[in-house]
Amino acid sequence: MASHTTAALGGLEQLRMCGAGAGRALAVLTSGGDAQGQHEQWRGGTGERPPGARSRARRAQPSRRGGTRWDAEVGTERGSRRRAGSRGRRGPWPCAWPGSHGSLVPSAGKIPESVAQTYSHLNIVGLVGSIDNDFCGTDMTIGTDSALHRIMEVIDAITTTAQSHQRTFVLEVMGRHCGYLALVSALASGADWLFIPESPPEDGWENFMCERLGETRSRGSRLNIIIIAEGAIDRHGKPITSTYVKDLVVQRLGFDTRVTVLGHVQRGGTPSAFDRVLSSKMGMEAVMALLEATPDTPACVVSLSGNQNVRLPLMECVQVTKDVQKAMDEKRFDEAIQLRGRLGLRLPVSAFVQSNFSVAILNVGAPAAGMNAAVRSAVRTGISQGHKVYIIHDGFEGLAKGQVRPCGGEGLHGGGVSAPRTLPKTCLEKIVENVRAYNIQALLVIGGFEAYEGVLQLVEARSQYEELCFVMCVIPATISNNVPGTDFSLGSDTAVNAAMESCDRIKQSASGTKRRVFIVETMGGYCGYLSTVTGIAVGADAAYVFEDPFTIHDLKANVEHLTDKMKTDIQRGLVLRNEKSHEHYTTEFLYNLYSSEGRGIFDCRTNVLGHLQQGGAPTPFDRNYGTKLGVKAMLWMSDKLRQSYRKGRVFANSADSACVIGLRKKTVAFSPVTELQKVTDFEHRMPQEQWWLDLRLMLKMLANYQISLTEYVPGKMEHVTRKGQGGVFEG
């Protein structure tokens, strides 16, 4: 860690120990439209009071409601100046300012000159809460993921009725100046056509769209989905409305067409797990940034870059955001897309040319949400690259038995691709025979730890079998999130949301009963990701995981903590336990311990969530992530095939010809399996180092435990880049 960061942390610890912050006040303001997750944002910032500082906030708990209760004069100069006047009257205090465009309105002329000279500085940290995701400098704004949940819920419901009646649906989603919601929901749902403000269609789009819809119906599809952002325009700045699109389809094609305008449904509902965790992280980071600030520290925005919290200069972010709108107003749409960054997922445009390469796709291991999206996008990308694409049923066992079928991509949804856990070493010779028979030159494996381990076994067998010298790629897909080489596996976000929804109901039951503690067991094997992240999302009092060893003394402290909590107005408790967190301290043991020690103060119940965490509809995150990983993996394999093609055959035996694709910190990266082998704990089936262990400090802080700020890893001050960096939320 950099020396200046260490010094800053040391200053924070001194602040805690000696109360040097006495007399300082921390204010939290909000501005702009409401967005789900802003309660957790408040909670992340005020869950622990800074030493010596005044706080008017009550002890915060995670909320099942979205939005904010605070009054905000949205986007008006009057509201901004009124708040500025309040600052001038009350003197300087550090200010965390969540909101969207309303936060950016200038407030000159309201503060008297004498007051301005007396209080010459005000430290400000911004947090962006907006469902539109229209603020440049951050990959995701607070509330966007929850809005996508509402959109996908509607699309899933509409798809059923559209198929039944053979209808075309035109869905209008929010996004006056930013098409992020429309774009991601179109990718996640496989929509037929999309309209967004940043990328207006070329002249004559009416003919192209109707031709496309007609072709889809002629191939047997029973529905069409068209998604349009409310701010969609054509190349000349003329609005494209959902009514106009509907009338066009009816008049030219005669299809039964309906319009659905989602409106403010997208702003409501329960915040997603992603938004709860994101806003809690950003709230805590904002407070740390304020405590570190000096009079010379410029105002900053806490942003998300890939999987990392970063701090960006506020005025740089504002300027780039304004530049996007200016480019759109001046019809420089390509520049607007480049500035936006997150809208840049585009396949290479080229005429279809048969490549003569053969690519196979197989699933391995337990099911995980998002697998279907990855298979679908990989197949379509492979076909667009001119490859012959095979689908292998029953994993490596199916490859050994020759269960290999060519795929044309029509009607493919990824279903029916079963995935036993058989590893290649049990049937290696049969696998080699079928690789030779079908001339497989690249293999895309989608699955959990078995997929990673299986590809590693194939690579190790290259010295024995020359036929295995082909290109290989692993897309991690497991709810346990225990595959090395990636921060997130497909399915883990859906599993966290499933566990969160169950815990929300459990907490509701505990609230009605009073003085009750629930012990909930989650899946994950030895990996404690599910327990930790779910614990943050639902405000758990403790989460026991294998990676963070605990003793009977820790259990005693947790019981005492819950005993004290029952004396407050929040008379309920929630404790999470990963299924293999401890050999002896089982869920039954914890139940008996808590029941015995809490007798007369609270009673105890247990719940084992089990395989419900593997079920349910995939979240927008997993659908979008799976789609992007499928595309990127296939494009990477296409490049490797061309590089390794010599003398009429593919020969790939280098370390970088067999990789795991995944989000690592800020970018999607390809990591050779032979390199990952060195940092893998094969006994417990997980990486030796886990990035999410840093979140456990926040888990304890939000549960009102005393923590040491020296353990906190702060975000770094960076500068705004003018194009996307290739993270999971970007192209």
Side-chain angles (χ1 to χ4, degrees):
M1 186 180 295
S3 58
H4 70 276
T5 305
T6 305
L9 288 175
L12 287 176
E13 187 62 18
Q14 291 178 7
L15 183 66
R16 168 181 290 280
M17 298 301 293
C18 63
R24 299 176 65 188
L26 173 67
V28 182
L29 299 152
T30 184
S31 178
D34 60 327
Q36 303 96 321
Q38 287 191 343
H39 286 295
E40 283 68 29
Q41 180 176 275
W42 178 285
R43 170 174 165 252
T46 63
E48 179 195 47
R49 298 183 182 182
R54 293 180 290 113
S55 173
R56 293 186 177 89
R58 291 179 57 197
R59 173 77 187 144
Q61 288 291 312
S63 173
R64 299 180 69 241
R65 295 190 296 171
T68 171
R69 297 192 183 102
W70 306 301
D71 176 46
E73 294 177 280
V74 182
T76 65
E77 187 171 352
R78 176 177 177 270
S80 189
R81 286 181 174 174
R82 179 167 59 83
R83 291 188 292 269
S86 174
R87 294 200 301 269
R89 289 191 301 272
R90 298 178 185 177
W93 23 254
C95 176
W97 204 323
S100 54
H101 289 137
S103 306
L104 310 181
V105 179
S107 56
K110 183 67 177 177
I111 302 176
E113 183 67 25
S114 59
V115 175
Q117 291 179 356
T118 304
Y119 306 112
S120 58
H121 77 275
L122 173 70
N123 294 121
I124 296 176
V125 176
L127 305 173
V128 190
S130 168
I131 69 166
D132 291 338
N133 201 23
D134 55 355
F135 191 80
C136 293
T138 183
D139 286 356
M140 286 283 276
T141 57
I142 297 167
T144 302
D145 188 69
S146 298
L148 287 170
H149 273 253
R150 303 295 90 77
I151 295 171
M152 292 310 304
E153 289 165 5
V154 171
I155 291 177
D156 287 345
I158 280 178
T159 298
T160 306
T161 182
Q163 287 177 332
S164 176
H165 295 278
Q166 287 188 286
R167 282 178 174 155
T168 296
F169 270 87
V170 181
L171 274 74
E172 181 181 307
V173 302
M174 284 187 168
R176 286 177 299 170
H177 306 293
C178 180
Y180 186 85
L181 290 179
L183 173 63
V184 174
S185 57
L187 280 174
S189 63
D192 296 280
W193 206 263
L194 168 70
F195 297 94
I196 60 175
E198 294 90 343
S199 183
E202 300 290 343
D203 292 341
W205 62 267
E206 294 92 341
N207 296 329
F208 294 127
M209 184 187 75
C210 292
E211 182 181 347
R212 164 71 178 176
L213 297 180
E215 289 176 355
T216 304
R217 286 295 180 93
S218 67
R219 292 196 298 264
S221 175
R222 295 178 59 86
L223 80 156
N224 297 112
I225 299 291
I226 300 171
I227 297 180
I228 179 170
E230 61 178 333
I233 56 176
D234 63 16
R235 286 278 166 179
H236 308 287
K238 180 182 177 181
I240 300 176
T241 65
S242 53
T243 303
Y244 176 74
V245 174
K246 175 216 169 186
D247 293 341
L248 181 69
V249 174
V250 172
Q251 292 169 9
R252 295 203 182 184
L253 299 174
F255 293 168
D256 186 6
T257 307
R258 297 288 189 274
V259 173
T260 300
V261 180
L262 271 64
H264 284 76
V265 167
Q266 298 158 89
R267 291 190 182 276
T270 303
S272 67
F274 184 93
D275 273 333
R276 296 189 193 190
V277 175
L278 174 65
S279 52
S280 297
K281 286 170 59 179
M282 285 187 168
M284 186 172 182
E285 179 68 26
V287 171
M288 297 304 156
L290 289 172
L291 292 177
E292 292 179 25
T294 67
D296 298 324
T297 303
C300 70
V301 177
V302 177
S303 301
L304 180 70
S305 178
N307 189 31
Q308 303 290 301
N309 279 346
V310 297
R311 303 173 189 175
L312 300 174
L314 172 62
M315 298 314 298
E316 287 187 19
C317 296
V318 172
Q319 186 58 51
V320 177
T321 303
K322 291 181 177 179
D323 289 345
V324 172
Q325 189 58 50
K326 183 179 179 182
M328 292 173 62
D329 292 341
E330 297 175 357
K331 298 182 176 58
R332 294 181 282 113
F333 298 111
D334 290 339
E335 183 179 342
I337 290 177
Q338 184 183 24
L339 289 169
R340 190 71 83 188
R342 295 179 296 272
L343 304 178
L345 179 65
R346 294 188 176 183
L347 295 180
V349 179
S350 60
F352 179 83
V353 178
Q354 190 69 34
S355 70
N356 294 322
F357 290 130
S358 298
V359 180
I361 301 174
L362 64 82
N363 289 6
V364 179
M371 277 183 164
N372 293 354
V375 172
R376 174 175 170 271
S377 63
V379 167
R380 295 196 174 184
T381 304
I383 292 173
S384 73
Q385 294 287 299
H387 306 325
K388 186 172 184 179
V389 181
Y390 291 105
I391 292 292
I392 301 173
H393 296 266
D394 293 339
F396 291 114
E397 182 179 328
L399 178 56
K401 294 179 178 179
Q403 297 178 7
V404 183
R405 303 290 180 269
C407 180
E410 304 300 336
L412 178 75
H413 298 288
V417 186
S418 54
R421 298 175 183 266
T422 306
L423 292 175
K425 64 181 180 181
T426 62
C427 47
L428 204 53
E429 292 185 359
K430 291 290 186 181
I431 288 177
V432 171
E433 289 179 10
N434 285 306
V435 167
R436 186 188 307 115
Y438 289 95
N439 191 31
I440 294 174
Q441 297 163 313
L443 182 65
L444 177 61
V445 185
I446 304 173
F449 199 86
E450 295 86 1
Y452 159 69
E453 195 171 7
V455 168
L456 186 59
Q457 290 179 7
L458 292 178
V459 171
E460 292 173 342
R462 281 175 170 176
S463 58
Q464 295 178 264
Y465 303 98
E466 191 175 287
E467 292 86 351
L468 298 179
C469 294
F470 54 75
V471 179
M472 302 179 221
C473 184
V474 178
I475 295 181
T478 168
I479 69 169
S480 302
N481 198 27
N482 63 336
V483 179
T486 184
D487 291 350
F488 296 107
S489 297
L490 284 181
S492 59
D493 184 70
T494 302
V496 169
N497 275 274
M500 179 197 74
E501 291 167 4
S502 298
C503 289
D504 281 345
R505 295 185 177 94
I506 289 171
K507 287 177 62 179
Q508 194 173 24
S509 170
S511 298
T513 313
K514 299 292 186 183
R515 300 183 180 278
R516 176 164 288 176
V517 174
F518 278 88
I519 299 174
V520 179
E521 181 182 301
T522 66
M523 295 179 72
Y526 286 99
C527 182
Y529 175 82
L530 280 181
S531 290
T532 298
V533 177
T534 303
I536 293 171
V538 301
D541 296 284
Y544 301 117
V545 299
F546 176 81
E547 295 90 341
D548 190 3
F550 55 96
T551 66
I552 193 66
H553 300 290
D554 298 312
L555 299 179
K556 179 175 179 292
N558 295 147
V559 172
E560 293 172 350
H561 171 77
L562 283 169
T563 301
D564 293 337
K565 185 178 179 181
M566 295 301 163
K567 300 174 184 177
T568 68
D569 56 348
I570 305 174
Q571 297 180 345
R572 64 171 185 267
L574 180 66
V575 176
L576 301 183
R577 177 188 177 274
N578 185 59
E579 59 183 346
K580 293 186 178 181
S581 58
H582 200 284
E583 181 182 2
H584 303 295
Y585 298 151
T586 63
T587 301
E588 183 180 2
F589 176 89
L590 294 181
Y591 167 75
N592 292 330
L593 176 67
Y594 275 77
S595 297
S596 176
E597 296 299 319
R599 184 171 298 155
I601 302 173
F602 58 81
D603 63 355
C604 196
R605 296 289 188 275
T606 60
N607 284 87
V608 179
L609 299 183
H611 286 77
L612 70 82
Q613 296 160 90
Q614 284 186 341
T619 60
F621 181 97
D622 278 330
R623 299 189 202 201
N624 185 31
Y625 192 32
T627 298
K628 291 186 176 181
L629 290 187
V631 171
K632 288 178 179 289
M634 188 58 71
L635 292 178
W636 176 83
M637 290 200 301
S638 298
D639 289 339
K640 288 294 181 182
L641 284 169
R642 287 187 284 268
Q643 293 171 14
S644 58
Y645 186 76
R646 300 181 187 89
K647 298 180 180 181
R649 58 166 293 188
V650 171
F651 186 81
N653 66 344
S654 60
D656 64 353
S657 64
C659 292
V660 173
I661 181 178
L663 178 70
R664 304 194 73 175
K665 294 186 177 180
K666 296 184 179 182
T667 59
V668 174
F670 291 86
S671 307
V673 293
T674 52
E675 294 296 323
L676 295 175
Q677 183 180 15
K678 303 172 185 176
V679 294
T680 303
D681 180 356
F682 285 96
E683 179 184 355
H684 300 107
R685 295 164 54 87
M686 62 184 183
Q688 293 176 0
E689 294 185 2
Q690 304 271 32
W691 68 269
W692 51 263
L693 286 174
D694 291 338
L695 298 179
R696 293 188 60 79
L697 181 70
M698 181 172 65
L699 173 69
K700 296 174 183 178
M701 184 275 291
L702 295 177
N704 209 21
Y705 287 91
Q706 291 296 319
I707 61 172
S708 172
L709 291 176
T710 56
E711 300 174 16
Y712 183 76
V713 180
K716 297 179 180 179
M717 179 65 81
E718 299 183 2
H719 292 278
V720 181
T721 55
R722 292 268 171 166
K723 60 182 179 180
Q725 298 298 309
V728 61
F729 311 106
E730 302 176 352

